[in-house]
Amino acid sequence: MKRILAAKVSMRSRGLIDVKRAMTIAGSDSGGGAGIQADLKTFQELKVFGTSALTAVTAQNTLGVQGVFPMEPEAVASQIQSVGEDIGTDALKTGMLFNAGIIQAVSEKIKQFGWEKVVVDPVMIAKGGASLLQQEAVSALKNQLLPLCLIITPNIPEAEVLTGMSIRSMDDKKEAAKRIHALGVKNIVIKGGHDTETNESVDILFDGKEFVFFSTPRIETNNTHGTGCTFSAAITAQLAKGSSVREAVSIAKEFIQAAIANPLGIGNGHGPTNHWAFNSKTESGVISWQE
């Protein structure tokens, strides 16, 4: 047994084991349900090695955000540089970027390293209503970062900000997806979690040519803190492992459905999702997709 273990360690040290890597560029959630904490948990559950670049520290729990303390853009750039020049990454995601300076720094590093599997979760507003993206940063996000990303995953309020339109129907979602695609984004996933008029949570994927719909039963629960972070992290992990965009979104949808369907009951407000539910043979609900 010791000889076999030693052989495995030796193989790993020589780089013979193919370990996929995913990076998160996002804020820290002291409550552990969102941000880089949620991202790294998701990466681990989906069996990719996670790295991170911290953009801000938040004082946060299930009741809300009590404080936001952003990093300097140079500090964010330095973290990305450290990861990029040594460990590298097979895919990356951005979460809370907070201001235009950080967005510019992140965009420049993505271009420097030539990273293409980039997932943007345009984090703008926390569950409790706190702003997580300064108003002047929206134009920087649209002009600098979005043309570099492979997938963007806005919820309905975020899609409304990005497009300047009101979204009330499926036709509105389709039009919003087209408008975001015109900003240079290759694939748009508009999430259906905020559309509470139906018994299904329907996400739509648009690649510039066709729409694909991913539907799961809606779960009535208050334990949804970090769902957007977790969903985009799951997409990133699957892209790192070589999944197609459609397959990555499908698995991410199943992952987040399981995480919501099996709550942990932590905290007194919007509780976190259960990141290990997907791999625990729990009932995640039926997922279906159609063109």
Side-chain angles (χ1 to χ4, degrees):
M1 178 64 72
K2 290 183 178 179
R3 186 174 300 171
I4 294 174
L5 179 60
K8 288 184 177 180
V9 171
S10 177
M11 288 176 63
R12 187 175 294 110
S13 66
R14 296 200 305 270
L16 299 180
I17 295 178
D18 186 17
V19 177
K20 299 303 182 183
R21 306 145 298 167
M23 178 164 57
T24 170
I25 305 171
S28 169
D29 172 11
S30 54
I36 62 166
Q37 286 85 348
D39 295 341
L40 292 175
K41 291 172 186 176
T42 303
F43 292 164
Q44 188 77 9
E45 288 297 318
L46 291 174
K47 297 177 174 58
V48 299
F49 181 81
T51 59
S52 64
L54 193 64
T55 60
V57 174
T58 68
Q60 186 175 172
N61 53 32
T62 66
L63 299 174
V65 178
Q66 292 78 46
V68 177
F69 309 93
M71 303 288 288
E72 292 295 326
E74 298 80 17
V76 178
S78 183
Q79 294 174 78
I80 299 171
Q81 181 71 29
S82 293
V83 173
E85 67 186 11
D86 176 30
I87 300 169
T89 193
D90 296 296
L92 70 88
K93 65 154 286 187
T94 66
M96 175 187 175
L97 298 178
F98 191 68
N99 61 39
I102 292 175
I103 291 171
Q104 180 178 351
V106 171
S107 301
E108 289 175 353
K109 287 300 174 183
I110 290 173
K111 288 188 287 187
Q112 175 189 329
F113 286 103
W115 290 321
E116 297 181 349
K117 292 183 179 180
V118 178
V119 179
V120 172
D121 179 16
V123 177
M124 295 181 181
I125 301 172
K127 278 289 188 295
S131 177
L132 300 178
L133 183 68
Q134 294 181 341
Q135 185 60 40
E136 60 269 26
V138 175
S139 60
L141 180 72
K142 292 166 69 173
N143 296 327
Q144 298 181 43
L145 184 57
L146 295 197
L148 303 176
C149 79
L150 176 64
I151 306 175
I152 188 172
T153 62
N155 57 32
I156 290 175
E158 291 162 349
E160 289 180 331
V161 172
L162 291 172
T163 60
M165 63 175 287
S166 177
I167 300 174
R168 296 291 181 269
S169 66
M170 183 58 70
D171 285 341
D172 291 340
K173 289 183 186 179
K174 290 181 177 180
E175 176 60 28
K178 292 177 181 178
R179 293 189 186 187
I180 297 173
H181 184 267
L183 297 174
V185 183
K186 296 178 178 66
N187 298 275
I188 300 91
V189 179
I190 297 183
K191 298 173 292 188
H194 284 73
D195 184 5
T196 58
E197 299 300 318
T198 68
N199 293 324
E200 298 285 314
S201 174
V202 182
D203 300 345
I204 69 168
L205 166 65
F206 180 59
D207 64 0
K209 296 180 181 178
E210 63 179 345
F211 291 94
V212 179
F213 304 87
F214 300 84
S215 179
T216 51
R218 183 174 299 281
I219 299 169
E220 296 300 327
T221 177
N222 208 35
N223 298 295
T224 56
H225 180 55
T227 51
C229 303
T230 300
F231 177 70
S232 58
I235 292 175
T236 307
Q238 290 305 125
L239 291 175
K241 294 190 290 186
S243 293
S244 68
V245 169
R246 185 178 297 189
E247 181 183 17
V249 173
S250 179
I251 292 174
K253 182 72 167 173
E254 186 177 349
F255 187 98
I256 194 60
Q257 183 74 359
I260 296 171
N262 298 275
L264 299 171
I266 293 174
N268 299 292
H270 290 285
T273 64
N274 182 348
H275 291 90
W276 62 74
F278 181 75
N279 288 325
S280 298
K281 307 300 182 182
T282 50
E283 186 62 39
S284 63
V286 177
I287 181 171
S288 62
W289 61 269
Q290 60 182 11
E291 297 181 6

